[in-house]
Amino acid sequence: MLPPENRMRRREDFAAAVRRGRRSGKTHLVVHLTKRSDTTNPHAPGEPPPPRAGFVVSKAVGNSVVRHRVQRRLRHVVRDRLSLLPPGSLVVVRALPGAGEAEYARLAREVDAALERLLGGVRA
């Protein structure tokens, strides 16, 4: 589970990450990242906001059971990599149709490769 302060909930945040951010596509997923430095942390004024992550898993991935399994796996992978993200950044991980058959390790490798490309060489 992602901590509440690291969850992306608002439609505007998803749109900002997808439209204004950079993206890296892999076989089973696409990762969108935007670094936002213009925001402040509403929970702790004076501190930078924490990075936030959101997930998009459409019906093309599979039925409800498959979609939720893919989302849980992606959420777990991203949770372990939040410390690599700059403060205030927004990450959207969009699962592609083949993600339902992909193993956890494969999804983790693809997230790592995408984040490495987007962050400029930082490894998990």
Side-chain angles (χ1 to χ4, degrees), residues 52-71:
R52 291 184 291 153
F55 305 92
V56 178
V57 184
S58 74
K59 286 186 178 181
V61 173
N63 64 22
S64 178
V65 174
V66 173
R67 290 194 311 268
H68 285 90
R69 181 177 58 231
V70 169
Q71 187 168 355

Side-chain angles (χ1 to χ4, degrees), residues 10-123:
R10 295 177 36 224
R11 183 175 199 259
E12 296 82 19
D13 292 338
F14 278 88
V18 172
R19 290 188 185 132
R20 290 191 291 254
R22 297 178 59 207
R23 79 170 181 262
S24 177
K26 300 297 171 194
T27 306
H28 297 104
L29 51 90
V30 177
V31 177
H32 300 269
L33 172 71
T34 183
K35 300 174 189 175
R36 296 175 54 176
S37 59
D38 60 339
T39 59
T40 58
N41 189 348
H43 302 293
E47 293 185 23
R52 291 184 291 153
F55 305 92
V56 178
V57 184
S58 74
K59 286 186 178 181
V61 173
N63 64 22
S64 178
V65 174
V66 173
R67 290 194 311 268
H68 285 90
R69 181 177 58 231
V70 169
Q71 187 168 355
R72 281 192 309 271
R73 288 177 176 178
L74 291 173
R75 193 168 47 229
H76 183 75
V77 168
V78 170
R79 181 188 67 192
D80 294 338
R81 288 145 181 87
L82 284 174
S83 62
L84 299 174
L85 301 174
S89 61
L90 301 175
V91 176
V92 173
V93 180
R94 184 167 45 96
L96 297 176
E101 290 82 36
E103 295 180 4
Y104 175 83
R106 174 73 185 254
L107 293 174
R109 283 193 305 271
E110 289 191 13
V111 169
D112 286 339
L115 287 177
E116 181 178 7
R117 179 176 179 270
L118 293 171
L119 294 173
V122 177
R123 283 294 297 187

